[in-house]
Amino acid sequence: MIVSPSVLSCDFANIQRDTEMLNTSVAEWLHIDVMDGVFVPNISFGFPVLQAIRKHTQKVLDVHLMIANPDAYLEEFKKAGADILTVHYESCTHLHRTISRIQELGMKAGVALNPHTPIEVLTEIANQLDLVLIMSVNPGFGGQKFIEAATDKVARLKALRERHQANFIIEVDGGVNLGTGAKLAEAGADALVAGSFVFGSADPVQTIAELKAL
Ligand code: DX5
Ligand code: ZN
């Protein structure tokens, strides 16, 4: 299991300290949630914070854009240090163009699906994707309750991947803990995002190791 701790739940007054803590863990990725107050009803952070994190880690930066009009910023996210750039299906009118551009810029391209969006919207583009992010909460906030229907969605996405001979990574985001994570692992998730569960635990490094072992 790939573990991608969400920096959204770290102590923003101590980003360097928390990033260095994550560096000592078995997490392969760091999940970076960018929110614009338009696509989602919350504002998180932008380029300067991403650049600051980049300075303190060699880990893969898994950037989740919860913003309107992501096309306007793809190049800037590359410059700021993103390795994986995931856009929301719901915010891209010309998804094929957006995905192609992300890959041309030298990043892995992901598409996130809100809880109400069916996986079938990706059938025509499945072969081109590096990652699909299944939202198991409505995006915008950490610490929300896991939407159970996400587990079956992951299993059906895995079947769709096989049917289309695609090889994108299946990542799940929202309400992940050891209980929900175990079910997601069984359903076929390859990567788990966890924010409040990791940072709210007594020993985040140990918690990450437990998620990895699922
Ligand atoms: C939600 C974000 C998540 C968030 C997850 O909009 O996309 O990445 O940080 O937080 P938890 O793990 O607390 O649900
Ligand atoms: Zn996220």
Side-chain angles (χ1 to χ4, degrees), residues 6 8 31-35 64 66 133 135 173-174 193:
S6 174
L8 187 65
H31 188 79
I32 312 287
D33 287 304
V34 179
M35 306 179 185
H64 176 194
M66 287 161 274
L133 180 59
M135 292 308 300
D173 186 6
V193 176

Side-chain angles (χ1 to χ4, degrees), residues 88-145:
H88 264 265
Y89 169 80
E90 300 82 7
S91 72
C92 294
T93 311
H94 305 287
L95 186 62
H96 182 273
R97 178 187 288 149
T98 306
I99 293 302
S100 304
R101 183 73 188 130
I102 292 171
Q103 291 167 336
E104 277 165 25
L105 287 166
M107 296 177 283
K108 300 279 186 211
V111 177
L113 298 181
N114 275 338
H116 74 279
T117 303
I119 58 169
E120 286 74 20
V121 298
L122 298 178
T123 49
E124 302 299 326
I125 204 173
N127 276 312
Q128 201 186 329
L129 301 178
D130 299 304
L131 180 146
V132 175
L133 180 59
I134 296 294
M135 292 308 300
S136 41
V137 297
N138 286 293
F141 304 91
Q144 302 183 83
K145 190 178 178 299

Side-chain angles (χ1 to χ4, degrees), residues 118-120 149 151-161 163 187:
I119 58 169
E120 286 74 20
T151 312
D152 183 57
K153 202 170 178 182
V154 166
R156 286 183 288 110
L157 182 61
K158 190 181 174 195
L160 182 152
R161 181 173 66 185
R163 264 199 317 280

Side-chain angles (χ1 to χ4, degrees), residues 43-62:
I43 298 175
S44 58
F45 51 75
F47 303 113
V49 171
L50 177 55
Q51 282 160 358
I53 295 168
R54 178 76 287 173
K55 262 197 270 171
H56 296 292
T57 190
Q58 305 293 326
K59 303 240 189 212
V60 170
L61 294 185
D62 167 34

